[in-house]
Amino acid sequence: MVVNEAKPRRKADLTDIELVLALFLRVGSIVAAALMGLGLVDLVIGEAQIAPKVITAGILVLMSTPVMRVVVAAVIFVKEGDWRFALFSLVVLIAVAIGAIVGQ
Amino acid sequence: MGIGAGIVGSILGLGGGIIIVPALTIIFGLPIKNAVAVSTVSIIATSTGAAVAYLRDRITNTRVAIWLEMGTSAGALSGALVAGIMNQRVLYILFGSLLAYSGYGMFKSRNLEKPASLQPDRLAEKLRLGGSYYDKALGHQVEYQVHRTFTGLVLMYFSGIAAGLLGIGAGIFKVPAMDQVMGMPFKASTATSNFMIGVTAASGAVVYFARGDVKPLVAGPVVLGVLLGAIVGAKFMVRMKPAKIRVMFIPLIAYTALEMIYRGVKWW
């Protein structure tokens, strides 16, 4: 039996990348939130030595998530044979990398 | 405070720096450089936290985002390179006026739930930038095309310069560029802006982090709050009517425009 879908589906070529990126960002934010939360708990229970390190680890995970997101997108574009957008992603990565190096 | 900034930022597609920097410096007495560092990390939190919901609902246009990210990241780089050479006051007045103009455009179209259907330009067709999403507030599918694709990229380059030079403009320039210039629906504009600001902020955050400006004991609670706020805010946003979000955006853009022009003028 075929049930009509109430919400029309979107073009197939865009479906995958968005769900993959959503999953990736979700994992990144959960790990970052867990580490920062753990660090704050450490602070409350008096583990003042460990707390800043755990929080810093959470911040580092959070900071790397958007950059890794561009890498993941680039990989998907390459897999799909969408060379134009793979190149665009590479341009973004290079600009971000130069920015990080020059800024210091 | 962090949660509030996260909610507002995620709904409007902004970083929330407008709230976080003054709050940390004025209320908590933090030095400005540390406040800006925390704010930059918070932008990443807003972006990452909210993007999950927007991507799943297909409101974010990833192709437009990656196309425009080339402009913002190149602009941020140029901004950082020419910082100190350019006259900041002139820039403040220039960017402030630009914001005032786009705020006026937004005010004129404040009652529109969706943009008039338009013909995509050749570049947009080639890059397949058009999109569609199911709007939970309007109860129907919104299909749209994009035009002035190249102009959009150029504007993003300048918004990147503003971000790199003046430390502002994470989202406040991007949303009007997509909404007013490229003809995207307002919700797609804020969601796509939200998606993009994480990348721009990340390159800045690395620099602040390396300098040791990100103090974990201050950043931890604020950033965690922003992250949670952004997740909650995104849930609100998908159920809000586009016109309502636009009406929330207008006072903020007007305030920022006036503040920037004031900063440019006040020493004369």
Side-chain angles (χ1 to χ4, degrees), chain A residues 10 13-15 18 22 25-26 29 33 55-56 60 62 66-67 69 77 82 84-85 88 95-96 99 102-103, chain B residues 44 51-52 55 58 60 62-63 66-67 69-70 77 81 126-128 132 195 198-199 207 209 211 216 220 223:
Chain A
R10 187 184 174 127
D13 61 340
L14 280 172
T15 306
E18 275 146 12
L25 294 181
R26 162 169 280 206
S29 45
I55 294 173
T56 304
L60 280 175
L62 187 70
V67 183
R69 183 267 282 172
F77 287 130
D82 195 339
R84 211 178 266 141
F85 272 81
F88 294 168
V96 169
V102 169
Chain B
I44 305 174
V52 177
L55 282 166
R58 319 265 185 229
T60 309
T62 42
R63 294 179 83 84
I66 286 162
W67 166 250
E69 270 166 13
M70 287 197 291
L77 186 58
L81 291 177
K126 219 171 165 185
L127 300 174
R128 289 180 290 131
S132 78
F195 188 69
V199 178
V207 175
F209 189 85
R211 284 185 196 154
V223 173

Side-chain angles (χ1 to χ4, degrees), chain B residues 164-228:
Chain B
L165 265 182
L166 308 173
I168 47 97
I172 203 132
F173 289 102
K174 295 183 177 69
V175 175
M178 284 182 272
D179 165 61
Q180 298 288 313
V181 178
M182 296 177 73
M184 283 168 66
F186 200 70
K187 276 168 104 163
S189 304
T190 60
T192 306
S193 164
N194 164 78
F195 188 69
M196 290 166 58
I197 58 180
V199 178
T200 323
S203 65
V206 171
V207 175
Y208 294 127
F209 189 85
R211 284 185 196 154
D213 290 345
V214 183
K215 300 274 176 259
L217 296 184
V218 183
V222 176
V223 173
L224 186 60
V226 171
L227 192 58
L228 299 177

Side-chain angles (χ1 to χ4, degrees), chain B residues 125-174:
Chain B
E125 256 177 354
K126 219 171 165 185
L127 300 174
R128 289 180 290 131
L129 294 182
S132 78
Y133 67 93
Y134 182 80
D135 194 314
K136 284 178 178 163
L138 299 177
H140 61 75
Q141 193 79 7
V142 177
E143 305 238 2
Y144 61 92
Q145 289 297 340
V146 175
H147 71 164
R148 299 189 197 130
T149 310
F150 194 75
T151 314
L153 185 68
V154 173
L155 283 174
M156 287 301 155
Y157 178 74
F158 284 105
S159 101
I161 290 183
L165 265 182
L166 308 173
I168 47 97
I172 203 132
F173 289 102
K174 295 183 177 69

Side-chain angles (χ1 to χ4, degrees), chain A residues 33-65:
Chain A
L35 284 170
M36 284 187 282
L38 191 69
L40 293 180
V41 171
D42 281 341
L43 199 65
V44 173
I45 61 172
E47 299 276 355
Q49 300 282 303
I50 306 166
K53 286 174 191 155
V54 180
I55 294 173
T56 304
I59 292 172
L60 280 175
V61 170
L62 187 70
M63 274 168 48
S64 58
T65 306

Side-chain angles (χ1 to χ4, degrees), chain B residues 109-129:
Chain B
S109 52
R110 66 191 175 281
N111 292 322
L112 289 179
E113 291 290 6
K114 58 175 183 176
S117 56
L118 48 85
Q119 282 296 314
D121 60 20
R122 277 174 64 192
L123 190 57
E125 256 177 354
K126 219 171 165 185
L127 300 174
R128 289 180 290 131
L129 294 182

